[in-house]
Amino acid sequence: MNITESISLCRPDDWHLHVRDGSTLATVIAHTARQFARAIIMPNLQPPVTDTAAAMAYRQRILDNVPAGLDFTPLMTLYLTDNTPGDEILRARDSGMIHAVKLYPSGATTHSDAGVTNIEKTYDTLAVMAECGMPLLVHGEVTDPDVDVFDREQVFIEQQLMPMLSAIPNLRVVLEHITTQDAVNFILDAPERVAATITAHHLLLNRNAMFAGGIRPHHYCLPVLKREQHRRALIEAIRSGHPRFFLGTDSAPHARRAKESGCGCAGIYTAHAALELYVEAFEQAGALDKFEAFASFNGPDFYGLPRNTDKITINRKQWQVASEFPMGNEDTIIPFRAGESLQWKL
Ligand code: NCD
Ligand code: ZN
């Protein structure tokens, strides 16, 4: 059998990324811009990015941190609240810089307190989005404390997402960072206006990784890692080559202090080696031939944006991940696979 030593592909984009703000930007934007041409930037800052003016100012702060010589375009998003006015959606659309609106159920994850308390409250706004072709990005987990944390995605799909899709017939929706067999099946059965992103860490890890030899805060993210059966379903999804699954890292930097804590934050940082990690997962899945469409074609096609034209090459080459990266002057980010070896290098 031939071993692939190198793969060349059209430059990819990251369709789900957290870059934070302020002094964190310098580290994380450099990591992403090294690999990706564009990224959908999550709006869960504190305070959240709820209007066009804030998104445009944030966009400029991101651009100010793109290292010289790299070409990187942030694709901005708005944070949906119970009261986002329809006018704001039209302003966002007219800006040409805002490509989606993000739904966080209130309390579902990091910085989601200002999120939606009841999805039905947003239906009028969602109707405006459907009308003007603005996609909705969904953090698909219910927040009901009576629902087991491992079941929250599945319950969200049944109780909230399906009724919402029926109520707003033309809305384009991306179910973000899917983690379950239920979500994969849902996408396979869903109309063409519905797609999903898949992270590298959900392809590589099952929930045992959170408890390997002790509690592992750097493997804690939301939606939380699931059992092996669900990871296998994600692998089958990428092997299928289905066009409505695409790359979204959900790379989510947190200060080491905030992760290694009595109440540690959710989020896994993968931006430093995102493509290398995905290639590892695709190779394990025997699906390297499906990687280019997943990473570089399916996302822009769904968003109605042009595909990138330049190429990148990823080689089989062992290298060691740094043990940490600076987060401003005060703290550090512990990356996924900190201090370990990876087998592919961009
Ligand atoms: C994200 C973050 O830290 O902003 N955390 C995470 O675990 N993925 C928020 C999110 O996408 O849920
Ligand atoms: Zn996220």
Side-chain angles (χ1 to χ4, degrees):
M1 204 178 87
N2 274 348
I3 292 205
T4 308
E5 289 300 332
S6 160
I7 61 172
S8 284
L9 64 154
C10 173
R11 183 175 293 279
D13 305 300
D14 183 348
W15 299 95
H16 183 124
L17 177 67
H18 301 268
V19 297
R20 315 304 185 201
D21 208 346
S23 58
T24 304
L25 287 172
T27 297
V28 304
I29 295 295
H31 286 162
T32 288
R34 174 181 80 90
Q35 304 167 73
F36 296 103
R38 299 170 287 195
I40 285 276
I41 306 294
M42 288 296 126
N44 62 331
L45 302 182
Q46 270 182 322
V49 180
T50 52
D51 62 37
T52 306
M56 298 306 282
Y58 185 30
R59 178 175 182 275
Q60 190 56 51
R61 297 195 296 280
I62 293 168
L63 289 173
D64 292 344
N65 282 278
V66 176
L70 294 180
D71 191 8
F72 173 72
T73 305
L75 306 173
M76 307 311 293
T77 61
L78 291 189
Y79 183 111
L80 187 68
T81 69
D82 286 349
N83 320 298
T84 303
D87 285 359
E88 197 54 57
I89 301 299
L90 299 177
R91 247 191 308 283
R93 193 255 339 250
D94 291 345
S95 76
M97 307 290 176
I98 297 174
H99 294 269
V101 174
K102 178 70 188 267
L103 163 65
Y104 290 101
S106 179
T109 187
T110 308
H111 303 166
S112 63
D113 299 349
V116 170
T117 60
N118 174 348
I119 197 167
E120 290 179 15
K121 289 189 180 169
T122 69
Y123 278 8
D124 288 347
T125 309
L126 299 185
V128 176
M129 290 170 56
E131 186 122 323
C132 73
M134 177 74 82
L136 179 72
L137 314 184
V138 178
H139 183 108
E141 290 191 290
V142 292
T143 55
D144 180 349
D146 291 337
V147 176
D148 189 279
V149 68
F150 293 99
D151 297 335
R152 287 181 185 182
E153 182 174 274
Q154 175 206 337
V155 174
F156 182 90
I157 291 169
E158 277 167 28
Q159 293 185 355
Q160 304 201 21
L161 188 52
M162 287 180 164
M164 186 271 278
L165 285 169
S166 308
I168 322 282
N170 296 317
L171 184 65
R172 300 178 69 70
V173 172
V174 184
L175 183 56
E176 300 285 356
H177 41 51
I178 59 169
T179 60
T180 56
Q181 176 138 46
D182 312 82
V184 171
N185 292 341
F186 165 74
I187 296 295
L188 295 175
D189 292 342
E192 273 186 28
R193 64 191 170 102
V194 184
T197 54
I198 305 179
T199 76
H201 48 278
H202 288 106
L203 290 169
L204 289 166
L205 302 180
N206 66 34
R207 66 190 190 178
N208 287 352
M210 286 187 293
F211 309 107
I215 193 144
R216 302 280 186 157
H218 299 292
H219 286 163
Y220 173 57
C221 65
L222 288 169
V224 73
L225 296 172
K226 303 298 191 298
R227 55 166 72 237
E228 177 63 7
Q229 157 205 341
H230 294 292
R231 190 189 71 87
R232 299 276 352 151
L234 299 179
I235 295 289
E236 285 311 312
I238 62 167
R239 282 164 56 98
S240 76
H242 189 287
R244 280 181 288 109
F245 295 109
F246 46 85
L247 188 157
T249 61
D250 195 20
S251 176
H254 287 278
R256 175 178 197 156
R257 263 200 295 266
K259 292 284 297 171
E260 298 175 6
S261 143
C263 184
C265 291
I268 296 181
Y269 186 71
T270 52
H272 62 296
L275 287 176
E276 291 98 340
L277 292 163
Y278 275 108
V279 171
E280 179 180 320
F282 272 71
E283 183 177 38
Q284 272 176 24
L288 280 179
D289 60 323
K290 303 291 190 330
F291 185 57
E292 184 175 37
F294 175 85
S296 313
F297 299 157
N298 298 348
D301 293 357
F302 186 85
Y303 275 83
L305 292 168
R307 296 176 179 181
N308 298 315
T309 50
D310 57 327
K311 293 232 157 209
I312 59 157
T313 301
I314 303 167
N315 297 306
R316 188 182 300 281
K317 179 172 185 253
Q318 198 172 13
W319 62 289
Q320 201 183 8
V321 175
S323 56
E324 56 185 16
F325 294 106
M327 187 169 197
N329 297 323
E330 307 272 282
D331 215 320
T332 60
I333 301 166
I334 306 297
F336 188 65
R337 298 271 179 81
E340 295 177 27
S341 289
L342 297 186
Q343 308 306 323
W344 290 91
K345 184 90 184 93
L346 178 66

